Structures are given as C-alpha cells and as structure tokens.
Amino acid sequence: MVPHALGPTASCDSKIQDVTMDDAIDDSLVRAQRLVAKNRRKRYLELHPEYLTDASLELADPLLYDRLIRRFQTASEREAEGQKKGFSGHLATDLWRAEAKKDALAQPDPNSLFTYSRGPQGQIVDEDKDDVPMTKEEGRAWWVDEMTQRFLRGGDDDFDYGHVDKNHKYDPLEWERDLQDAWFESMESDFDSDGEGKEKVLTGETGIQDY
C-alpha cells in the first residue's frame, strides 16, 4: 500500500507546534535577559551604596520617607538634611510631600502602609496601620529595602538603566569565579588529554635503554 500523504491538517499542526516552540524560546530568552539585568542592578547597588543614601531619593516616595525616616529624626538631623538639600531642594520636598498627601487622601491606596484623613481643623492627618516600624533602625532598613526593590524592578525613571543592564562590568562576582573555574578546567583538560577527552599517549622515546 502507498502511505497516505500528509494532508493540510497535519501541515497546519506542525506549523502551530513550531510557532509555539518559538514563543517558548522567546519567553525563555526574555526571562533570562531580565534575570541578567536584575543581577547587574543588584551588583551596581553593591558597588554604589551612595545611591540608597542620596537625599534626593526622598522624592521617590515622600510619604514613605516621611513615615520611615523623618519621623525618627531629631531636630538637628532634620536641620542638617535641610542644609544639604539647600533652600530650593528643601522647599521642593515639602511641596512634593504636601501634594502626595492630597493624592493619598483623594485616592487611597489599599496596599499602602499608611492611611490619611482630615483632622478637625482641615489638616491632613496620617494614621499608622499595625505593620509599621517602631524604631529608627527598623525604619531605615524598611526604606532601604523598598528603594532597593524599586531600583531592581526599574522604577527609577531618572536613572539610565542601559548603562548597567548592558554592562558586563556589573556581572556578579560568582559569574567571574565560574568563568575562571571553567577556564582552569579547560586548561587542565587540554594538558591531560589529546583535546578530544582521551588520555594522551607519549610516543617516540620510551626511556628504556636498549643494550
């Protein structure tokens, strides 16, 4: 018997499988690229810890900064911070914080750590939820973690992520060690084998004296 030729349905199914496989490969590549970028951003923060202590970072989330950092600052610490920002910087921060409170009051975020309401004289009053830091150290740790996660997910619109994401210089140290180990292993392999994984056999002089 002559076997039946593949019909249009089989050909179509094959094309669908090819497309599905291509999509899966593309998704894997995208995930791999995101992972590389995230690891490089993490390495960048390790090499540039000053990013997380920059006074201008307060503008990233003035309300969160107010509740995690400013609430624990002494008068002298606030004064020193204000001098570092300068008059215009200090004024801009106050305006940003006031606008952020208005927005939080008008459009409450259910995921926010804090809620806001109007006081008896019309002022905006912030109210803590149960899960808030109770000490200065906890507040600082919380702030650093929030800003770290924001940076890793690409949330800083003023930062040039391309400078980091495409830069091999920010590859994690473990990757460098892996490359070095692989290089040394290849050198040992070349030294002990004939290049094809087989043990080298010395030819020529045997070292045995013929008498």
Side-chain angles (χ1 to χ4, degrees), residues 74-113:
T74 63
S76 59
E77 287 174 334
R78 290 192 180 186
E79 182 179 356
E81 187 176 85
Q83 291 177 350
K84 186 183 296 185
K85 294 177 184 176
F87 176 76
S88 59
H90 183 69
L91 181 61
T93 303
D94 287 345
L95 290 175
W96 274 64
R97 188 182 304 111
E99 289 299 319
K101 285 186 177 182
K102 290 180 181 178
D103 291 340
L105 182 63
Q107 299 177 338
D109 181 0
N111 298 318
S112 176
L113 298 176

Side-chain angles (χ1 to χ4, degrees), residues 138-174:
E138 289 177 352
R140 168 57 65 179
W142 204 324
W143 170 256
V144 169
D145 181 68
E146 289 289 336
M147 292 300 101
T148 297
Q149 297 304 319
R150 169 180 176 268
F151 181 83
L152 294 180
R153 66 174 176 264
D156 188 345
D157 296 334
D158 297 324
F159 187 83
D160 181 11
Y161 282 99
H163 172 69
V164 175
D165 296 354
K166 301 177 181 179
N167 197 333
H168 292 283
K169 145 178 160 176
Y170 295 114
D171 285 340
L173 292 176
E174 305 86 63

Side-chain angles (χ1 to χ4, degrees), residues 20 24 36 42 48 60 73 94 105 129 132 138 141 144-145 152 197:
T20 303
V36 169
K42 184 177 180 181
H48 299 278
Q73 287 179 332
D94 287 345
L105 182 63
K129 290 185 179 180
V132 294
E138 289 177 352
V144 169
D145 181 68
L152 294 180

